[in-house]
Amino acid sequence: MTTDLSVLKDTVTVADGGWSTQLWERGVPMGELPEMANLTHPEVVVRLGREYVEAGARFITTNTFAANRYAIARRGVKTTVAELNQAGARLARQAVEGSEALVAGSIGPSGKILVVHEATEAELTIVFDEQARALAEGGVDVIVLETFSELAEILVALRAAQATGLPVIASLSFDSGPQRTRTIMGAAAEDCAVALEEAGAAVVGCNCGGGAANVLPAVVALRGATKLPLWVKPNAGLPDLEDGRPVYRQPPDEFAAVVPTLIEAGANIIGGCCGTGPEHIRRVAAIVENRKRPRRRDE
């Protein structure tokens, strides 16, 4: 049965936090493709997913963001797209077992840019179709396209993901322009929302970027251009580099302090991206739950 995400437009739901940054903190080597943890450290992946569920997340994304044929070839990984994505989907299903959380199959950008002809739409269709089908076969409930910056590319990915018959969440990273409402490729948030809705996305949104404090203008722009549910997953601020490793220092309370404003601006699904962990999501969930709780007369 297909999951109906349209019901989310009148509610506020909590999503999970970051994956790569959290896996590194849990001992997964920074030198390897983070998605390889699905095969080399499956217990760590399941444990992190369960921590997010326990923190209050009702969407758990698979650890498959860069599990596409280009990334695998570039890193010299000895596995297949199908194996890596299906493993990610199965581990996420284990993590949500016994809960009401949905599994969102994560697909990130290909790493190729259409506008400069690094790949053709036909080539990217094959890449995204391969990954989306593997995630669907692994048992995900929805597909989430994350951190895209080129509108043309995410539209290709959307069409490929829709071929699975699953609803698709389409999210870009807006971190350019005077108010950070454009992607680094120059696509305006409102134009992206309109194009993605017309193309059949079930949910649109933004993730990654400059952090929770900077994402509000993009959320406002998206909400002004669409009535679809909005997916919002900012970073835990901007990172510092230590020994070549990004370190995010924004504490959970500071990250979650922006959540009421995001809700007022129209966000429907709120989680975190790079640098956020279960404690960040626990604070977000507490705020969301408190807003749902009826106020007593003496409050």
Side-chain angles (χ1 to χ4, degrees):
M1 183 173 64
T2 301
T3 303
D4 182 8
L5 298 184
S6 66
V7 299
L8 299 176
K9 65 183 179 181
D10 297 318
T11 65
V12 181
T13 304
V14 180
D16 60 3
W19 277 87
S20 295
T21 50
Q22 288 296 307
L23 290 173
W24 293 333
E25 289 186 6
R26 287 162 168 76
V28 173
M30 280 197 68
E32 79 175 31
L33 191 71
E35 290 75 11
M36 279 299 294
N38 296 338
L39 305 178
T40 61
H41 298 76
E43 72 289 346
V44 178
V45 176
V46 173
R47 189 180 311 123
L48 177 56
R50 286 177 177 163
E51 288 180 23
Y52 279 132
V53 172
E54 292 166 359
R58 293 300 171 260
F59 279 90
I60 300 300
T61 50
T62 56
N63 179 42
T64 56
F65 176 78
N68 65 68
R69 63 166 64 183
Y70 289 144
I72 288 174
R74 187 165 56 248
R75 300 292 284 272
V77 172
K78 303 301 182 183
T79 187
T80 66
V81 170
E83 181 181 24
L84 203 51
N85 283 276
Q86 289 173 10
R90 287 195 299 269
L91 296 176
R93 287 249 68 94
Q94 291 180 38
V96 304
E97 187 175 359
S99 75
E100 296 180 354
L102 297 175
V103 173
S106 173
I107 296 178
S110 65
K112 304 291 185 180
I113 302 174
L114 280 168
V115 72
V116 297
H117 310 295
E118 291 183 342
T120 65
E121 288 194 6
E123 289 169 339
L124 291 190
T125 296
I126 293 171
V127 170
F128 291 126
D129 177 79
E130 182 178 39
Q131 190 176 3
R133 288 187 183 278
L135 288 167
E137 290 167 3
V140 303
D141 298 301
V142 303
I143 301 288
V144 57
L145 310 174
E146 301 184 281
T147 327
F148 281 73
S149 61
E150 188 177 24
L151 179 56
E153 184 188 24
I154 197 171
L155 287 170
V156 172
L158 175 59
R159 289 192 293 270
Q162 287 171 322
T164 65
L166 297 173
V168 183
I169 300 166
S171 178
L172 298 100
S173 179
F174 300 101
D175 199 27
S176 296
Q179 290 191 300
R180 298 179 184 266
T181 57
R182 290 181 176 271
T183 70
I184 58 172
M185 297 295 292
E190 56 269 28
D191 294 337
C192 292
V194 170
L196 291 168
E197 181 171 2
E198 290 178 349
V203 176
V204 299
C206 54
N207 73 287
C208 206
N214 297 314
V215 77
L216 180 60
V219 174
V220 171
L222 290 167
R223 173 49 70 219
T226 182
K227 295 186 183 301
L228 292 177
L230 288 188
W231 171 274
V232 181
K233 296 184 71 177
N235 289 343
L238 294 171
D240 295 320
L241 282 179
E242 292 187 359
D243 299 323
R245 173 180 174 174
V247 177
Y248 293 83
R249 304 187 185 282
Q250 187 173 47
D253 285 338
E254 184 179 324
F255 176 85
V258 186
V259 170
T261 304
L262 295 178
I263 294 173
E264 291 299 326
N268 298 109
I269 307 101
I270 304 176
C273 201
C274 303
T276 61
E279 284 307 311
H280 292 81
I281 300 308
R282 196 180 310 280
R283 301 299 200 284
V284 172
I287 291 171
V288 171
E289 183 60 32
N290 187 58
R291 289 178 66 91
K292 293 178 180 178
R293 180 174 58 87
R295 294 181 67 84
R296 301 193 311 265
R297 291 184 177 181
D298 59 346
E299 288 185 308

